[in-house]
Amino acid sequence: MKSILQQLISKNKEEEKAYTASRQAEINNPETGTNRRNFLKKTALGGIALGGLMNLSIEDTIAHTTQNVKRSSNPSDLKITDMRYCLTNVMGGTAIIRIDTNQGIYGLGEVRDAADARYALILKSRILGRNPCNVEMIFKVIKQFGGPARQAGGVCAVEMALWDLCGKAYGVPAWQLLGGRYRDKVRLYADTPEAASPAEQQKLINYRINDQGYTWLKMDISISELKGKTGTVVNSKFWENAKGDLAQWGDQRNMMSYGNTAHPFTQIQITDKGLEELSEIVNTIRNMVGYEIPISTDHYGHFDLNNSIRLGKAMEKYRLAWFEDMVPWTYTEQWKTISDALETPTTTGEDIYLLKDFKPLIHARAVDIIHPDLASSGGLLETKRIGDYAEEYGVAMAMHQAGTPVSFMASVHCAAATQNFLALEHHSVDIPWWEDLVKTTDGKKMIEKGFAIVPLNSPGLGIELNEDVLKQHLKPTDKSYFAPTNEWNELRSHDRTYS
């Protein structure tokens, strides 16, 4: 005896067959008007009546007619099934990761600029099988594997990808999952490198302000500008690199280089003549830009707090937006001394991992502005927490970013959701293909007139990879493109940090 369900299916099939036959007969009738015939054809092709025409079952008809319908994910049943990567040529090698799931949706993250993709791959075995929507829980599982600066790259890449996945699963933008947004567009500051001449510098500045519409710039005031100028730097010969340059990073292959020495221990000192030379450079830039546009500064050289104060005082009259990373972020008391001595705002934080290491700077009000890089600070939620915590102490937040559009858009969502936010760095202004590495899912511009456009309705981060462009800009030493990473599937240790 047929079950009631089978009887119902059989009855529905007979009714569908009869209905389809009647519609087809009306279509074939020469007396049927053209408009009516077209209507019947269109509705047949768009509906279940197509099954009668194609001799399909109701089950097959439904599957066929809804195959291109976008279905919502079932978030509670999501499971992480894979993690893969590709290594872009941004910043000499920046990895994008992709976390896949059992429901076909995936999330994108980024290992901080020039960090090793293996910082993320070692986490794969620890997240497989987990529900990616439990973002905070997974973060607490993996955060022990992060550290300052690029050592945090893997943890932050995974966290970014989880929010992208979660947003896609629930059909909302990442900023909505962080509590909502304060702004529809995010102000950017454009990194502006040093140039060989004032004319070349003017060209770079004009491109940013006039052509691209940026309203905030950042420049380097580096001791490299003092190369070959006698009497400007004490002890210079000892600290030059192999090319004779006084670059910030020195000669990193030489462990005696000041580029490998913490700032208080280099004994580099800038003379009054050196300060005059650097002041003239800033004066030239300020005259080019005017006073309507903020100018932030960075990359001075590895010298101590005394030289930082002397340099800062020499630049006070130019009303710079901030002095960045004058000494390492670990020296809270030194930062407090520098900030108290200067009227120009101070900032640090791009290498700090987690809120706990921002707290000493914030509690002491050792800097005026915190400056996390979301790809090092812990990802979207932790960075918002950092901003919110700083806000309670009257400290503003700017954001560092020097990677691909993946971490850029993650930062945009975080900035949109954080009230005390000032500006986000765009480090790749001069790379013509940078924006083309991704496509926005709402079809809108990613950047317009110096502001990043916050995706208002696009789920997750609001971007998809532009594979054709991305494949053209992989790092030459690793042309693999989201290849299998099965060797990272197995969990090989018990890692819990407490007994």
Side-chain angles (χ1 to χ4, degrees):
M1 180 179 291
K2 291 183 177 180
S3 68
I4 295 176
L5 178 61
Q6 289 175 321
Q7 292 175 24
L8 287 173
I9 291 175
S10 179
K11 180 182 179 182
N12 284 336
K13 285 183 178 179
E14 291 299 322
E15 291 177 352
E16 176 65 20
K17 185 175 180 180
Y19 178 67
T20 300
S22 68
R23 289 173 66 92
Q24 188 63 45
E26 188 176 358
I27 291 172
N28 293 336
N29 189 337
E31 295 184 3
T32 302
T34 301
N35 290 341
R36 173 65 177 170
R37 183 178 290 111
N38 289 338
F39 169 77
L40 291 169
K41 286 180 178 179
K42 289 178 180 178
T43 55
L45 290 172
I48 294 178
L50 182 63
L53 297 173
M54 302 289 291
N55 293 317
L56 299 173
S57 68
I58 287 179
E59 296 91 332
D60 289 339
T61 299
I62 292 173
H64 178 85
T65 57
T66 63
Q67 63 182 338
N68 292 321
V69 175
K70 185 176 181 181
R71 298 173 175 82
S72 296
S73 165
N74 184 0
S76 63
D77 292 332
L78 266 178
K79 301 293 181 187
I80 295 171
T81 58
D82 203 358
M83 181 202 293
R84 301 187 181 192
Y85 80 96
C86 73
L87 190 62
T88 74
N89 211 23
V90 175
M91 295 295 290
T94 299
I96 294 172
I97 68 163
R98 189 187 73 208
I99 295 179
D100 298 322
T101 67
N102 60 334
Q103 294 181 22
I105 61 174
Y106 61 88
L108 298 173
E110 177 190 312
V111 185
R112 184 177 164 184
D113 56 279
D116 198 309
R118 287 172 291 188
Y119 280 126
L121 293 172
I122 64 169
L123 304 175
K124 182 180 179 182
S125 63
R126 295 161 176 90
I127 66 174
L128 286 176
R130 296 182 182 271
N131 187 324
C133 296
N134 294 324
V135 182
E136 186 174 40
M137 183 181 72
I138 295 176
F139 178 71
K140 288 182 177 179
V141 169
I142 64 174
K143 73 176 183 178
Q144 62 181 303
F145 300 102
R150 286 157 184 82
Q151 295 176 32
V155 173
C156 298
V158 170
E159 203 264 6
M160 287 182 223
L162 295 180
W163 284 120
D164 191 28
L165 261 168
C166 190
K168 290 173 180 175
Y170 285 98
V172 295
W175 56 258
Q176 188 69 73
L177 297 169
L178 297 178
R181 72 184 192 276
Y182 287 94
R183 51 190 64 84
D184 294 344
K185 58 183 182 178
V186 168
R187 192 177 187 181
L188 304 177
Y189 73 81
D191 194 75
T192 309
E194 296 164 298
S197 67
E200 185 64 25
Q201 195 79 44
Q202 182 74 70
K203 183 179 178 182
L204 290 171
I205 290 170
N206 288 345
Y207 176 61
R208 283 155 173 72
I209 297 174
N210 300 329
D211 296 352
Q212 295 188 306
Y214 285 96
T215 64
W216 194 314
L217 303 179
K218 186 169 82 173
M219 63 176 288
D220 295 344
I221 307 176
S222 171
I223 59 173
S224 64
E225 300 281 2
L226 303 178
K227 176 185 176 181
K229 297 179 180 179
T230 60
T232 57
V233 178
V234 176
N235 218 21
S236 63
K237 291 295 181 184
F238 189 69
W239 298 107
E240 289 175 356
N241 65 15
K243 297 180 180 179
D245 296 331
L246 280 166
Q248 181 197 15
W249 310 115
D251 183 358
Q252 291 187 298
R253 295 169 298 179
N254 174 11
M255 288 310 297
M256 288 292 291
S257 167
Y258 82 89
N260 289 308
T261 306
H263 297 52
F265 315 122
T266 63
Q267 265 303 298
I268 287 183
Q269 296 190 50
I270 306 173
T271 67
D272 287 347
K273 180 181 177 182
L275 291 175
E276 290 172 4
E277 293 279 356
L278 293 176
S279 294
E280 185 54 38
I281 291 170
V282 176
N283 182 55
T284 299
I285 300 302
R286 180 52 92 186
N287 288 334
M288 290 178 182
V289 173
Y291 280 87
E292 293 300 315
I293 292 179
I295 301 175
S296 301
T297 62
D298 190 14
H299 287 174
Y300 317 98
H302 287 193
F303 47 71
D304 62 13
L305 93 165
N306 298 300
N307 281 271
S308 298
I309 292 171
R310 291 178 67 244
L311 177 65
K313 287 184 177 296
M315 304 298 170
E316 295 275 30
K317 59 186 176 182
Y318 302 114
R319 301 312 306 155
L320 298 173
W322 70 58
F323 288 115
E324 175 183 337
D325 294 337
M326 300 187 90
V327 296
W329 64 269
T330 51
Y331 298 129
T332 301
E333 291 184 1
Q334 291 194 20
W335 269 113
K336 176 67 171 170
T337 300
I338 293 170
S339 297
D340 286 347
L342 301 179
E343 294 180 6
T344 301
T346 56
T347 186
T348 192
E350 69 178 74
D351 294 326
I352 301 179
Y353 179 52
L354 305 180
L355 170 58
K356 68 180 181 64
D357 278 341
F358 276 93
K359 284 184 176 180
L361 288 163
I362 295 170
H363 289 167
R365 292 180 177 81
V367 291
D368 301 287
I369 302 165
I370 55 166
H371 193 230
D373 187 315
L374 184 143
S376 280
S377 55
L380 284 80
L381 181 57
E382 186 75 359
T383 305
K384 175 173 167 51
R385 285 173 172 160
I386 291 164
D388 290 346
Y389 195 87
E391 182 183 356
E392 294 296 319
Y393 287 81
V395 176
M397 181 176 82
M399 295 177 70
H400 179 274
Q401 189 283 141
T404 79
V406 175
S407 67
F408 177 86
M409 286 307 299
S411 298
V412 167
H413 282 269
C414 181
T418 309
Q419 187 172 19
N420 63 333
F421 165 81
L422 294 175
L424 167 67
E425 179 173 16
H426 183 15
H427 196 273
S428 301
V429 176
D430 299 308
I431 301 176
W433 45 264
W434 185 87
E435 288 186 48
D436 296 330
L437 293 174
V438 300
K439 296 176 283 189
T440 59
T441 53
D442 61 6
K444 296 181 180 179
K445 289 183 178 180
M446 189 162 57
I447 300 172
E448 188 171 19
K449 294 182 179 179
F451 286 79
I453 307 304
V454 178
L456 300 186
N457 301 301
S458 300
L461 298 182
I463 53 173
E464 297 292 348
L465 299 178
N466 188 346
E467 295 197 357
D468 292 339
V469 176
L470 189 56
K471 288 176 181 178
Q472 295 172 18
H473 298 287
L474 298 175
K475 189 174 182 180
T477 55
D478 186 350
K479 289 284 191 177
S480 65
Y481 187 77
F482 296 111
T485 56
N486 295 335
E487 66 272 25
W488 297 96
N489 289 358
E490 183 184 352
L491 183 63
R492 297 182 176 90
S493 62
H494 177 64
D495 307 298
R496 199 173 70 185
T497 55
Y498 56 92
S499 297

